[in-house]
């Protein structure tokens, strides 16, 4: 009985944990962003896909446990895009977001930034974000490369403009004492990144607002394309992108401003960067699953809230759509 509770009966395409609760979504996304999936070999991935196909067609080999099936689905979901069925490039998977994004976060939070260094780090950050947003988008409709480039330029421009503008304002604030100015300067990346993230998601996925996204009935069949569902998907994703950098860009500056006053670190300044890096890594690792767990990836919406043609095409009261990550 205890074993059954620990590992529920496998359901193909369904999450292992209850997506109706925040804790269930958190446990689900901790699986999705598990960095160990970055090291899964091509052979192992093919084995997982074959195992799931065998289950789907009722040809499962004897002795395969629910735990093995859940593990196979976890690996497939972490690597393969649910709409395209293609592998997501490693640095742009959600499981690669923390390992590949942490060095950029560290750079953004370095003290005494010049205008040039601010531009470079904001550019690197939004370049990474743009690729992650594009790689994990709802891909039920094709997105032209021109839309990708438009979103990329818009996100980078907004991030750099806001960050440089705020830095210049702080430098002109002569009434602030050096310590206060240093703390505020370190907090500058948050409003710059948060606002740019909204632009990034909106511009990178703007095509969905004109083309709509597929909505599915309770059997997984496509009912039609909905612009209203696309609006919900993008709004939810943009909200998570504001919540995500909040602890990442607020907590490390506050923690480091305290640690830097410790006598031990004042006499061992070379340890500041490694400690700063660890603080950023831990904060990022905790923030990502919390932020993306705010909404389920496969979200539901009542048919009555969608376009009339969607309501006419199905008897379902609720349909499902891929929000994207």
């Amino acid at each position: 009985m205890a074993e059954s509770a620990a590992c529920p009966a496998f359901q193909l395409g369904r999450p292992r944990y209850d997506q109706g609760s925040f804790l269930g979504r958190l446990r689900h996304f901790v699986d999705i962003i598990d960095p160990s999936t970055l090291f899964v070999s091509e052979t192992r991935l093919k084995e997982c896909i074959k195992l799931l196909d065998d289950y789907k067609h009722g040809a499962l080999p004897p002795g395969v446990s629910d735990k093995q099936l859940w593990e196979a689905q976890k690996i497939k979901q972490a690597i393969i895009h649910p709409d395209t069925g293609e592998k997501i490039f490693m640095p742009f998977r959600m499981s690669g977001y923390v390992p590949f994004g942490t060095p950029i976060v560290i750079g953004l939070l370095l003290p005494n930034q010049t205008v040039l260094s601010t531009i470079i780090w904001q550019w690197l950050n939004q370049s990474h974000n743009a690729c992650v947003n594009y790689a994990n988008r709802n891909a039920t409709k094709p997105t032209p490369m021109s839309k990708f480039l438009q979103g990329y330029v818009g996100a980078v421009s907004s991030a750099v403009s806001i960050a440089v503008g705020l830095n210049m304002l702080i430098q002109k604030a002569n009434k602030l004492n050096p310590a206060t100015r240093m703390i505020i300067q370190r907090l500058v990346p948050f409003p710059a990144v948060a606002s740019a993230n909204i632009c990034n998601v909106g511009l990178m996925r703007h095509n969905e607002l004109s083309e709509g996204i597929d909505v599915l009935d309770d059997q997984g069949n496509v009912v039609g394309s909905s612009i209203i569902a696309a609006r919900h998907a993008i709004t939810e994703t943009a909200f998570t992108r504001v919540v995500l950098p909040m602890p990442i860009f607020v907590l490390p500056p506050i923690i480091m401003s305290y640690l830097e006053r410790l006598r031990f670190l004042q006499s061992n300044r070379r340890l500041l960067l490694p400690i700063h890096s660890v603080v950023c890594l831990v904060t990022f690792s905790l923030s990502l699953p919390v932020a993306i767990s705010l909404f389920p990836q496969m979200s539901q919406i009542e048919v009555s809230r969608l376009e009339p043609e969607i309501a006419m095409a199905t008897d379902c009261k609720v349909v499902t759509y891929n929000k994207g990550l």
Side-chain angles (χ1 to χ4, degrees):
M1 194 72 179
E3 186 178 348
S4 173
C7 188
F10 179 74
Q11 291 181 287
L12 184 64
R14 298 294 181 97
R16 178 174 178 175
Y17 306 105
D18 174 27
Q19 297 300 282
S21 70
F22 174 77
L23 183 60
R25 293 195 296 272
L26 182 63
R27 295 177 72 183
H28 170 71
F29 284 117
V30 164
D31 269 359
I32 296 294
I33 67 169
D34 180 0
S36 68
T37 59
L38 295 171
F39 303 101
V40 171
S41 66
E42 188 69 26
T43 303
R44 173 67 175 139
L45 176 61
K46 287 179 179 177
E47 287 174 358
C48 292
I49 294 172
K50 184 179 184 305
L51 192 63
L52 295 172
D53 283 343
D54 288 345
Y55 176 89
K56 183 178 181 179
H57 297 107
L60 202 62
V64 176
S65 66
D66 286 323
K67 185 176 180 181
Q68 288 174 293
L69 288 166
W70 284 122
E71 182 66 19
Q73 182 161 277
K74 166 187 169 177
I75 289 171
K76 183 183 177 182
Q77 286 179 339
I79 298 173
I80 304 295
H81 194 286
D83 295 330
T84 65
E86 297 175 358
K87 284 177 69 175
I88 300 172
F89 186 45
M90 189 187 291
F92 309 143
R93 296 174 197 164
M94 292 312 290
S95 54
Y97 204 13
V98 172
F100 290 96
T102 299
I104 298 172
V105 171
I106 294 167
L108 282 166
L109 291 172
L110 289 174
N112 305 315
Q113 296 269 13
T114 63
V115 171
L116 180 60
S117 66
T118 298
I119 291 172
I120 290 172
W121 287 116
Q122 290 288 350
W123 168 67
L124 285 172
N125 184 52
Q126 290 306 323
S127 296
H128 184 232
N129 283 346
C131 292
V132 169
N133 288 336
Y134 184 79
N136 294 279
R137 73 198 184 283
N138 179 303
T140 54
K141 294 287 183 294
T143 303
M145 184 53 67
S146 59
K147 294 287 185 183
F148 173 82
L149 294 174
Q150 178 186 350
Y152 174 74
V153 171
V156 171
S157 302
S158 63
V160 170
S161 302
I162 294 166
V164 171
L166 288 172
N167 269 324
M168 290 177 68
L169 281 174
I170 291 164
Q171 287 169 4
K172 290 179 180 178
N174 298 321
K175 293 179 181 178
L176 297 176
N177 64 58
T180 305
R181 186 183 298 179
M182 174 71 75
I183 293 173
I184 294 175
Q185 220 161 14
R186 283 181 166 182
L187 293 173
V188 161
F190 170 64
V193 168
S195 54
N197 283 354
I198 295 173
C199 294
N200 201 319
V201 172
L203 292 169
M204 294 301 300
R205 297 177 58 177
H206 179 71
N207 197 53
E208 296 172 31
L209 294 174
S210 56
E211 299 289 331
I213 59 175
D214 287 351
V215 292
L216 315 174
D217 62 18
D218 50 14
Q219 300 300 314
N221 301 312
V222 176
V223 175
S225 291
S226 171
I227 291 174
I228 296 172
R231 201 179 301 143
H232 279 267
I234 292 172
T235 302
E236 290 170 355
T237 305
F239 184 74
T240 65
R241 290 299 193 275
V242 173
V243 174
L244 174 60
M246 198 178 294
I248 298 171
F249 292 111
V250 173
L251 291 180
I254 294 171
I255 293 169
M256 289 308 298
S257 65
Y258 168 75
L259 293 177
E260 286 169 1
R261 292 199 296 267
L262 297 178
R263 187 172 297 175
F264 172 73
L265 286 178
Q266 286 181 347
S267 56
N268 294 275
R269 304 293 293 179
R270 66 183 182 280
L271 296 176
L272 282 175
L273 185 57
I275 291 173
H276 183 213
S277 303
V278 170
V279 170
C280 289
L281 177 62
V282 171
T283 311
F284 200 174
S285 301
L286 295 174
S287 301
L288 180 59
V290 170
I292 60 178
S293 299
L294 293 173
F295 306 98
Q297 181 173 359
M298 298 305 293
S299 293
Q300 294 186 324
I301 187 169
E302 294 174 0
V303 172
S304 59
R305 298 171 62 188
L306 299 178
E307 293 87 344
E309 57 267 29
I310 301 290
M312 293 170 63
T314 181
D315 295 327
C316 294
K317 299 295 183 186
V318 175
V319 289
T320 305
Y321 61 89
N322 176 16
K323 172 183 69 66
L325 290 173

